[in-house]
Amino acid sequence: MPEGDCTNRRARPRDAVTEAEVEALVRGICFKNGPPAAVGVELEWLVHDRRSPRLPVTSARVQAARAALRTESLHSAVTVEPGGQLELSSLPAASLMECVSAVTADLTVVRDTLRPLDLTLTGLGADPWRAPTRLLREPRYDAMESWLDRAGEAGRRMMCSTASVQICLDAGYAEPGPLGFARRWRLAHLLGPVLVAAFANSPVQDGRATGWRSTRQAVWAGIDPGRSGAPALDEEPRAAWARHALDAPVMCVRATDTESTGAADGVPWLVPQGLSFRSWVRSGLPRPPTRGDLDYHLTTLFPPVRPRGHLELRMVDAQPGADGWVVPLAVTMALFDDAQAAETAYRTVKPLAERAGATPAPHSPLWLDAARHGLADPELREAATACFATALDALPRLGAAPAVVAAVAAHADRYVARGRCPADDLLDELDAQGALAPGKDVPR
């Protein structure tokens, strides 16, 4: 067996982690307590040909865009997802408007850079036309694809054909209360279906209406719950998340414990079957896991709310228009970071817990109803109406500019008050054009 093969590393290194150390690390690094003081956003965009959005965009064109963007000075980090989607990840901002201003400026630069390449950013939660095709060839994505393909097509679609607005907020105070981390954790999971329904924007796949307002969310629900699911909400968040992370399946064993983008000495990454991180720690095989392996493992878990020191809310579809993403960011921040609004929002969505049942998000009946029906669901429409009104009341207290408040009010009038979501507009438009083939359901 070659010396570099990671299956031959049986000796326990000094930096190998024990089960107790893993649990303590997860508790400490995933929930950092303190006053809610920062906000961030991660925007994923589909990249389409500017003249013919149904045409595939080649890997060469994506790489040309990547190279061009590297020459620009941006506030946000710009990365490319496996299917060629572009992601802008903002720096933590001290206020909503600081975040909005910085990301808006970056998006202007990105669009100007893509235009000469005949490429454009499209705000949809799932690609309506093109088959999922992986354009990036890296060990991480090779391993991810191998692992996800075992359960069917949903994982590949998630990797290559979906895009979202991910909202990042501080975990909150250690003490109880509307801004305490335990309450914010629970609020995120109960508010999640309301956000799914209010901003659903992915009703088409392969040129067909899927029957889901958020096909993206349905695709995520089709992935193994150990990877895409959330822990139960009836216990202390740190303990619940630590147990969830330990019992979650290991996606891959990297060639070295610090390697993040390439294989060492030509050794491919292992893709184990049925190996949880807890089992890996206990067995020490194929090699003992280290802190680096734990950090990496946590990046391969994709729940709708991911604790990363801060809370990353991952359930909102990418939004239409140049600045549609500002509305979910503003609404969510208002409902979390204004103490009065947070209390009202929690009381509004608390009754939804019974309907959610014991199944963890996003696989529970409530989350699936939100994805399928959007705000045509009467209970979700009622909750969204109250939450938008609460957010509109709170936003001026958070220093939101009049234009941002107006955008939130316009979304409330156009969609929430009518029991609609952006997906309904797209369906109406394509139906009027006769552009949809007979419908089908999404792979789950």
Side-chain angles (χ1 to χ4, degrees), residues 26 47 153 196 226 252-253 273 277 282 286 298 336 348 351-352 357 365 370:
V26 172
V47 177
E153 186 184 342
V196 169
C252 58
V253 177
Q273 181 108 29
F277 201 88
R282 289 178 177 179
L298 294 174
F336 274 79
T348 298
L352 296 174

Side-chain angles (χ1 to χ4, degrees), residues 66-277:
R66 193 182 202 179
L69 288 170
R70 283 176 179 159
T71 68
E72 302 293 345
S73 178
L74 300 170
H75 300 89
S76 307
V78 179
T79 54
V80 178
E81 296 296 300
Q85 311 98 308
L86 277 183
E87 180 178 77
L88 275 72
S89 301
S90 76
L91 292 171
S95 70
L96 171 64
M97 293 315 303
E98 179 183 319
C99 182
V100 169
S101 297
V103 176
T104 298
D106 285 346
L107 282 169
T108 298
V109 174
V110 170
R111 290 190 172 95
D112 288 346
T113 303
L114 295 182
R115 191 173 295 110
L117 302 175
D118 280 333
L119 296 174
T120 189
L121 300 179
T122 301
L124 286 168
D127 197 304
W129 313 118
R130 303 176 303 183
T133 303
R134 186 157 65 95
L135 301 182
L136 295 189
R137 297 293 164 183
E138 298 176 1
R140 170 184 172 90
Y141 298 128
D142 292 345
M144 184 182 294
E145 186 175 83
S146 296
W147 195 95
L148 292 169
D149 277 353
R150 293 170 179 168
E153 186 184 342
R156 190 171 295 210
R157 286 199 179 269
M158 176 273 289
M159 289 176 64
C160 301
S161 299
T162 62
S164 68
V165 175
Q166 298 176 17
I167 299 151
C168 301
L169 302 167
D170 283 325
Y173 290 103
E175 297 80 11
L179 301 183
F181 79 91
R183 172 69 72 84
R184 287 161 72 85
W185 175 253
R186 187 169 177 81
L187 173 61
H189 287 87
L190 295 177
L191 182 65
V194 179
L195 297 176
V196 169
F199 298 107
N201 187 37
S202 51
V204 177
Q205 178 177 283
D206 298 333
R208 297 176 172 88
T210 64
W212 298 79
R213 297 301 194 275
S214 177
T215 301
R216 172 186 169 273
Q217 192 63 33
V219 166
W220 280 94
I223 299 170
D224 185 298
R227 189 155 308 284
S228 64
L233 291 182
D234 58 357
E235 61 179 304
E236 199 275 332
R238 292 170 298 187
W241 180 252
R243 180 162 52 255
H244 181 78
L246 271 164
D247 291 335
V250 173
M251 177 176 285
C252 58
V253 177
R254 298 170 299 160
T256 73
D257 64 348
T258 59
E259 191 71 39
S260 60
T261 59
D265 301 323
V267 179
W269 294 3
L270 299 181
V271 183
Q273 181 108 29
L275 178 70
S276 69
F277 201 88

Side-chain angles (χ1 to χ4, degrees), residues 152-425:
E153 186 184 342
R156 190 171 295 210
R157 286 199 179 269
M158 176 273 289
M159 289 176 64
C160 301
S161 299
T162 62
S164 68
V165 175
Q166 298 176 17
I167 299 151
C168 301
L169 302 167
D170 283 325
Y173 290 103
E175 297 80 11
L179 301 183
F181 79 91
R183 172 69 72 84
R184 287 161 72 85
W185 175 253
R186 187 169 177 81
L187 173 61
H189 287 87
L190 295 177
L191 182 65
V194 179
L195 297 176
V196 169
F199 298 107
N201 187 37
S202 51
V204 177
Q205 178 177 283
D206 298 333
R208 297 176 172 88
T210 64
W212 298 79
R213 297 301 194 275
S214 177
T215 301
R216 172 186 169 273
Q217 192 63 33
V219 166
W220 280 94
I223 299 170
D224 185 298
R227 189 155 308 284
S228 64
L233 291 182
D234 58 357
E235 61 179 304
E236 199 275 332
R238 292 170 298 187
W241 180 252
R243 180 162 52 255
H244 181 78
L246 271 164
D247 291 335
V250 173
M251 177 176 285
C252 58
V253 177
R254 298 170 299 160
T256 73
D257 64 348
T258 59
E259 191 71 39
S260 60
T261 59
D265 301 323
V267 179
W269 294 3
L270 299 181
V271 183
Q273 181 108 29
L275 178 70
S276 69
F277 201 88
R278 190 188 304 276
S279 298
W280 187 12
V281 171
R282 289 178 177 179
S283 70
L285 297 175
R287 61 167 175 77
T290 67
R291 167 65 187 272
D293 291 312
L294 172 62
D295 292 343
Y296 190 81
H297 172 66
L298 294 174
T299 71
T300 70
L301 304 182
F302 310 125
V305 183
R306 184 162 65 176
R308 304 184 64 187
H310 58 275
L311 299 182
E312 182 182 83
L313 281 69
R314 304 166 51 86
M315 70 286 295
V316 176
D317 281 359
Q319 294 297 288
D323 55 4
W325 57 274
V326 173
V327 177
L329 173 65
V331 168
T332 306
M333 183 182 177
L335 297 179
F336 274 79
D337 285 6
D338 180 89
Q340 180 180 333
E343 183 63 29
T344 302
Y346 185 73
R347 290 177 181 175
T348 298
V349 299
K350 188 177 179 181
L352 296 174
E354 181 176 348
R355 184 172 163 192
T359 305
H363 305 82
S364 78
L366 177 63
W367 283 74
L368 293 175
D369 285 346
R372 185 179 288 279
H373 303 298
L375 292 184
D377 182 293
E379 192 173 12
L380 288 169
R381 178 181 178 180
E382 182 180 359
T385 300
C387 286
F388 268 74
T390 300
L392 283 167
D393 181 62
L395 280 168
R397 294 195 294 269
L398 294 173
V404 170
V405 177
V408 172
H411 191 103
D413 291 342
R414 180 173 181 175
Y415 298 116
V416 179
R418 303 179 185 184
R420 289 172 62 86
C421 56
D424 294 305
D425 285 355

